[in-house]
Amino acid sequence: MNEKPTLFSGIKPTGIPHIGNYLGALKQWVDLQGKYNCIYSIVDYHAITIAIDKDELQKNIYTTARILLSIGINPDKSILFLQSTIPEHTELCWIFNCLTPMSELQRMTQFKDKAKQHRQNINAGLFDYPVLMAADILLYNAEFVPVGEDQLQHIELTRIIAKKFNNRYGEMFAMPKPIVGPAKRVMSLNNPTKKMSKDLGESSYISLLDPPEVVEKKVKKAVTDTGPTDANNMSAGVKNLFDLLVYFDNNSAYQRFMQQYQQGTIKYSELKQELANTINKTLDPIRTKASNITDDDIKKILQSGANKARQIAQAKINKIKQTVGTFI
Ligand code: TYM
């Protein structure tokens, strides 16, 4: 590790990542490589806060790694590892548990949403989820965390925990700052007032491995409206389609369709066809690369990433334990 600041981020292995994950976070992960010491984790301990079948989880871990490598995460430039292979994450989580007020956790909107969705399984892990996330970040003394908007409250809590620790035991952690891009909240295709999410069903999102015809079908089914109003008052669904054109770097199509929208001549079917083609242009090379990466490749990369992460994590947890007094 050199003098560059450290950056950490994570993704849950809950299936094939979607274009919301990609535009909101993963694209930044790729672009920031080289500028920071980048550490990226597939956070399987976060994934098990929702009941998930063992084989499904295994498959998701490999798929998520395959996607990260296919979009351009380069294991020579970044550390990529599986969270559960570094037990220091859960160790630090426990130390932080003993500093984190219950009242702070009770404010977390993601916990409230997930608790509503999974009434049969409101477990302690789900409640404690943001503390484990704070441990992920602070174990590596990360100063920057590229994420989508939905994670900002968790990063704010991470700063609160870091401050509490530093105040009680002396300076130990940097205050991490989020990095959010323009696509911080990509909206759902079928429910455009809500963020794109696997929780809203197949037609909410486009996965990074959806075949071209599925991309086309999902975009065609996206919610729009009965026709243009004034451009400052666009319906959420149509605005999302325009935003996606920009996020996928097709500014010329954005300008063309916006002009048609303002003149009232736009055909949403044409806007959708253009958007589907634009998305497929980005997804084509990702799909091809993904099909060439074997499980064996992935295992080797994650093991080598874990070896690098472990060195940093062990040195830091030893310092922390010395400070807290939990050693003999
Ligand atoms: P996860 O796995 O839900 O999502 C991964 C990343 O994708 C972003 N994202 C979105 N961005 C824009 N629009 C959307 N519709 C959208 N949906 C998801 C998320 O904001 C996230 O950046 N708690 C984290 C994982 C985590 C983590 C960490 C992140 C665990 N430890 C430490 C940063 C640092 C999560 O559940 O992400």
Side-chain angles (χ1 to χ4, degrees):
M1 287 276 155
N2 51 33
E3 293 308 302
K4 292 174 198 160
T6 296
L7 172 154
F8 182 97
S9 200
I11 180 166
K12 287 192 303 282
T14 49
I16 306 170
H18 54 65
I19 59 170
N21 300 127
Y22 176 69
L23 297 166
L26 306 182
K27 197 163 169 256
Q28 274 77 256
W29 292 20
V30 175
D31 296 342
L32 295 165
Q33 295 182 109
K35 298 189 188 111
Y36 297 87
N37 288 319
C38 294
I39 307 178
Y40 298 128
S41 186
I42 298 170
V43 290
D44 49 347
Y45 277 156
H46 280 97
I48 61 170
T49 56
I50 305 294
I52 179 167
D53 172 75
K54 158 185 172 270
D55 294 332
E56 180 78 19
L57 178 59
Q58 278 288 295
K59 196 174 88 197
N60 291 346
I61 289 170
Y62 281 95
T63 309
T64 305
R66 184 169 284 110
I67 289 288
L68 293 176
L69 296 168
S70 306
I71 61 169
I73 297 299
N74 179 344
D76 294 328
K77 289 189 186 162
S78 302
I79 297 177
L80 177 64
F81 73 100
L82 181 64
Q83 182 188 36
S84 63
T85 57
I86 308 294
E88 285 78 6
H89 287 244
T90 42
E91 217 177 335
L92 183 55
C93 177
W94 184 260
I95 294 174
F96 285 165
N97 278 339
C98 303
L99 285 173
T100 309
M102 295 278 284
S103 57
E104 291 289 350
L105 293 177
Q106 273 154 351
R107 292 175 44 236
M108 296 292 118
T109 54
Q110 185 166 309
F111 170 72
K112 289 185 212 166
D113 288 349
K114 297 273 176 197
K116 252 189 236 157
Q117 266 172 45
H118 302 275
R119 282 181 207 278
Q120 309 311 317
N121 185 21
I122 307 176
N123 59 71
L126 190 64
F127 188 61
D128 202 33
Y129 180 114
V131 183
L132 180 57
M133 190 165 153
D136 296 340
I137 297 167
L138 297 173
L139 188 56
Y140 301 94
N141 221 30
E143 290 177 63
F144 296 95
V145 190
V147 284
E149 190 178 63
D150 59 339
Q151 297 303 315
L152 292 180
Q153 197 185 28
H154 291 160
I155 297 176
E156 196 45 49
L157 178 69
T158 301
R159 293 163 64 87
I160 292 173
I161 294 173
K163 237 178 245 159
K164 274 197 182 291
F165 189 101
N166 289 351
N167 285 343
R168 177 132 157 212
Y169 296 108
E171 228 22 61
M172 176 66 71
F173 299 113
M175 290 297 139
K177 294 183 196 67
I179 298 180
V180 285
K184 59 183 187 286
R185 191 173 164 84
V186 175
M187 306 310 277
S188 158
L189 295 175
N190 62 353
N191 205 336
T193 56
K194 301 215 163 106
K195 74 161 188 188
M196 180 175 283
S197 160
K198 288 189 204 109
D199 299 340
L200 296 175
E202 285 271 326
S203 47
S204 161
Y205 65 90
I206 291 170
S207 103
L208 295 182
L209 294 182
D210 274 346
E213 60 281 5
V214 174
V215 172
E216 217 165 283
K217 203 171 104 199
K218 286 184 177 175
V219 174
K220 281 187 179 154
K221 273 177 58 189
V223 169
T224 53
D225 54 39
T226 52
T229 51
D230 79 277
N232 296 325
N233 229 343
M234 228 179 229
S235 68
V238 176
K239 179 173 184 308
N240 195 30
L241 302 183
F242 271 104
D243 285 346
L244 284 169
L245 272 182
V246 176
Y247 300 154
F248 280 102
D249 291 327
N250 193 346
N251 288 309
S252 62
Y254 174 89
Q255 301 292 351
R256 190 169 78 248
F257 283 105
M258 187 52 83
Q259 205 172 34
Q260 294 175 6
Y261 184 92
Q262 281 159 345
Q263 291 163 349
T265 57
I266 191 167
K267 291 203 177 83
Y268 290 148
S269 58
E270 290 175 7
L271 170 68
K272 286 177 166 181
Q273 187 61 57
E274 178 76 30
L275 178 60
N277 295 347
T278 303
I279 295 174
N280 275 325
K281 218 168 118 193
T282 297
L283 299 198
D284 271 340
I286 297 175
R287 290 184 285 239
T288 308
K289 275 195 204 139
S291 65
N292 289 322
I293 301 171
T294 67
D295 283 2
D296 241 23
D297 299 333
I298 291 171
K299 216 173 184 167
K300 281 192 196 119
I301 289 168
L302 293 182
Q303 277 168 352
S304 145
N307 289 338
K308 293 180 203 159
R310 189 171 298 117
Q311 285 185 20
I312 308 169
Q314 284 182 345
K316 188 74 174 175
I317 202 84
N318 285 340
K319 251 199 224 163
I320 295 168
K321 288 166 77 171
Q322 295 282 332
T323 306
V324 173
T326 52
F327 69 99
I328 48 164

